Amino acid sequence: MEAEAADAPPGRVKAALSCFSFNQDCTSLAIGTKAGYKLFSLSSVEQLDQVHGSNEIPDVYIVERLFSSSLVVVVSHTKPRQMNVYHFKKGTEICNYSYSSNILSIRLNRQRLLVCLEESIYIHNIKDMKLLKTLLDIPANPTGLCALSINHSNSYLAYPGSLTTGEIALYDGNSLKPVCTIAAHEGTLAAITFNASGSKLASASAKGTVIRVFSVPDGQKLYEFRRGMKRYVTISSLVFSMDSQFLCASSNTETVHIFKLEQLTSSRPEEPSTWSGYMGKMFMAATNYLPAQVSDMMNQDRAFATGRLNFSGQRNICTLSTIQKLPRLLVASSDGHLYIYNLDPQDGGECVLVKTHSLLGSGATEENKENDLRPPLPQSYAATVARPSASSASTVPGYSEDGGALRGEVIPEHEFATGPVCLDDENEFPPIILCRGSQKGKTKQT
């Protein structure tokens, strides 16, 4: 989940951050600035610890971290067509790839890495960075809107299937085959996201009034939520909680909406025998005689809870996470702050703001760096070889159906590491393998 903060309009303070993104399991926050990028741990409400910071690449507009590992992907305005993959704890660059046009967004899980351009999507195998597939026949996608399931065994990819309507193209990133097209909205898409298991897909249109949830891979509509009726808004982020019980949406307004994905039932529960309950029942029965559009609107569920910001018009992203054993709503804003709410709606359904952190002045502790780099899953780790950022000038073309991607500088034979270079320890997953490889790989390095 990532946001690029555009320059502010005249009369408004310019955004402090150029981009910001939560990692896949919402345990870390990455920010990009004119000076470089920073990574923060989200393990505490009271303290925001910086895990890593770098000023080597200026003017960063995309930064994505792979779970809690040392792998980070960075794109800068100085080289907007080049993707750089770093092992930040070792201080080395694993690889870099160049593309035919500017990179608009990047998504990754433990199996795949996606690079989205305006008219194409590149699918890499994250273990060796081999380019597996290039999707060239996609509609123009000027915002780089796409989503990837964080479940690497279920690597579904979603992107706009039309330039004029809200169709979603669903693609299987493992089998590298199209799955289906979902007619999600009448208007163009503004946001799409998968739940943690990759079994559900949520979407919002450019109007921002209705949010829908579909089953994956069959594309059946499961839920429909109404964010608002009075005004159109720009949805800036859409995210499921890790247990898929809640769905959170933030926009350019001052309100963040949280919807509850309750179990579908064939009939609504009986209302209490009160006057208001009786009128509610009569009102719902009357919707059967109304026009279809009006009836649908009346049956859409409203927000379970809201978080209120003290500003509007700023670019922001939200997430739902468990911090110190309690559910929290987190909102990162382009004004350079992280807002933390208790996910415990009070009277009126509002969540309480408990802490505000500055993202531009926090420091790091060595103890937190070690704790934050814990392996998410106890899986075996294969040998990895990384190269320093200064290397030879030779290049080798990466595998591509159209030759549209070129891999960066090759490691000279004498600069290969004598032993395996791991992301952090032998249990961290996945490996990034850029070693001597097979004979077939050697043949390509001519």
Side-chain angles (χ1 to χ4, degrees):
M1 61 206 70
E2 171 188 304
E4 182 178 347
D7 290 347
R12 181 176 294 165
V13 178
K14 188 177 180 180
L17 305 181
S18 55
C19 66
F20 34 90
S21 64
F22 293 103
N23 67 341
Q24 294 81 3
D25 57 2
C26 306
T27 59
S28 177
L29 173 65
I31 67 168
T33 67
K34 291 288 185 182
Y37 69 91
K38 295 180 181 180
L39 305 176
F40 298 94
S41 168
L42 300 176
S43 58
S44 171
V45 171
E46 297 300 323
Q47 184 176 353
L48 184 65
D49 290 313
Q50 182 181 318
V51 177
H52 174 68
S54 174
N55 295 327
E56 293 182 5
I57 298 184
D59 211 3
V60 171
Y61 73 94
I62 293 177
V63 54
E64 292 285 345
R65 185 185 183 186
L66 180 64
F67 288 89
S68 294
S69 74
S70 302
L71 189 151
V72 61
V73 183
V74 181
V75 183
S76 167
H77 277 300
T78 58
K79 293 183 178 179
R81 298 185 178 188
Q82 180 173 299
M83 172 188 69
N84 302 279
V85 183
Y86 293 102
H87 179 300
F88 67 78
K89 193 175 182 184
K90 300 291 183 183
T92 57
E93 183 183 62
I94 295 173
C95 66
N96 61 70
Y97 272 73
S98 295
Y99 300 86
S100 56
S101 62
N102 291 357
I103 300 171
L104 300 180
S105 63
I106 287 176
R107 301 288 181 264
L108 59 164
N109 62 25
R110 294 189 176 103
Q111 189 75 19
R112 297 287 182 255
L113 186 150
L114 307 180
V115 180
C116 184
L117 312 183
E118 183 170 354
E119 297 181 344
S120 57
I121 296 176
Y122 293 82
I123 304 176
H124 291 266
N125 180 22
I126 202 170
K127 293 184 179 180
D128 55 12
M129 291 307 299
K130 179 181 178 181
L131 182 59
L132 302 176
K133 186 74 174 179
T134 308
L135 304 180
L136 298 171
D137 55 346
I138 68 171
N141 185 10
T143 62
L145 179 62
C146 68
L148 175 68
S149 165
I150 69 170
N151 181 2
H152 62 277
S153 62
N154 198 13
S155 294
Y156 288 111
L157 161 66
Y159 58 91
S162 169
L163 185 60
T164 56
T165 65
E167 287 187 358
I168 302 175
L170 190 62
Y171 191 88
D172 191 329
N174 285 338
S175 66
L176 303 177
K177 295 179 180 178
V179 178
C180 69
T181 299
I182 303 172
H185 302 271
E186 291 183 3
T188 56
L189 295 172
I192 46 178
T193 187
F194 288 98
N195 67 338
S197 64
S199 61
K200 294 182 178 67
L201 175 67
S203 66
S205 71
K207 291 181 179 179
T209 54
V210 176
I211 295 169
R212 296 187 172 102
V213 179
F214 303 90
S215 61
V216 175
D218 54 20
Q220 296 299 311
K221 186 171 72 173
L222 300 177
Y223 304 93
E224 190 169 71
F225 303 105
R226 177 158 289 277
R227 193 216 57 83
M229 292 168 44
K230 296 181 180 179
R231 54 178 173 172
Y232 293 164
V233 301
T234 302
I235 300 291
S236 56
S237 70
L238 197 59
V239 62
F240 287 92
S241 60
M242 291 303 292
D243 60 5
S244 300
Q245 296 299 307
F246 297 92
L247 179 65
C248 183
S250 66
S251 65
N252 57 338
T253 70
E254 67 281 357
T255 307
V256 179
H257 292 78
I258 303 166
F259 304 95
K260 189 173 183 180
L261 280 68
E262 296 180 308
Q263 185 67 31
L264 293 174
T265 56
S266 56
S267 60
R268 293 180 177 265
E270 289 294 326
E271 296 285 349
S273 55
T274 61
W275 174 252
S276 60
Y278 173 75
M279 289 302 295
K281 238 172 144 179
M282 295 297 293
F283 180 78
M284 292 307 299
T287 60
N288 297 326
Y289 302 97
L290 296 172
Q293 289 183 334
V294 179
S295 178
D296 288 345
M297 184 182 70
M298 297 302 180
N299 283 289
Q300 290 162 348
D301 290 328
R302 303 301 195 270
F304 160 77
T306 58
R308 192 163 295 277
L309 303 168
N310 58 1
F311 58 83
S312 62
Q314 290 275 9
R315 184 76 169 170
N316 61 72
I317 58 172
C318 62
T319 194
L320 298 168
S321 182
T322 299
I323 302 178
Q324 295 172 327
K325 299 182 179 180
L326 291 176
R328 316 281 186 176
L329 165 65
L330 284 72
V331 182
S333 170
S334 60
D335 69 353
H337 291 88
L338 174 68
Y339 302 90
I340 303 179
Y341 299 77
N342 279 338
L343 190 55
D344 182 17
Q346 303 299 306
D347 293 340
E350 283 200 22
C351 299
V352 178
L353 177 66
V354 293
K355 194 68 178 179
T356 301
H357 291 288
S358 171
L359 297 172
L360 299 174
S362 300
T365 62
E366 290 300 322
E367 180 182 359
N368 189 76
K369 285 182 182 181
E370 297 299 326
N371 292 337
D372 189 70
L373 295 172
R374 59 196 180 281
L377 290 174
Q379 305 212 21
S380 60
Y381 184 82
T384 304
V385 176
R387 68 171 176 87
S389 55
S391 57
S392 72
S394 60
T395 59
V396 58
Y399 170 78
S400 173
E401 295 173 41
D402 64 336
L406 295 177
R407 191 169 68 181
E409 298 172 341
V410 180
I411 313 168
E413 190 72 16
H414 66 275
E415 289 187 10
F416 274 100
T418 55
V421 180
C422 301
L423 289 180
D424 288 301
D425 55 48
E426 291 299 328
N427 291 324
E428 190 170 14
F429 184 86
I432 295 294
I433 307 171
L434 283 183
C435 52
R436 297 180 181 87
S438 62
Q439 288 299 119
K440 184 178 180 182
K442 286 183 178 179
T443 327
K444 287 185 180 180
Q445 298 185 17
T446 54

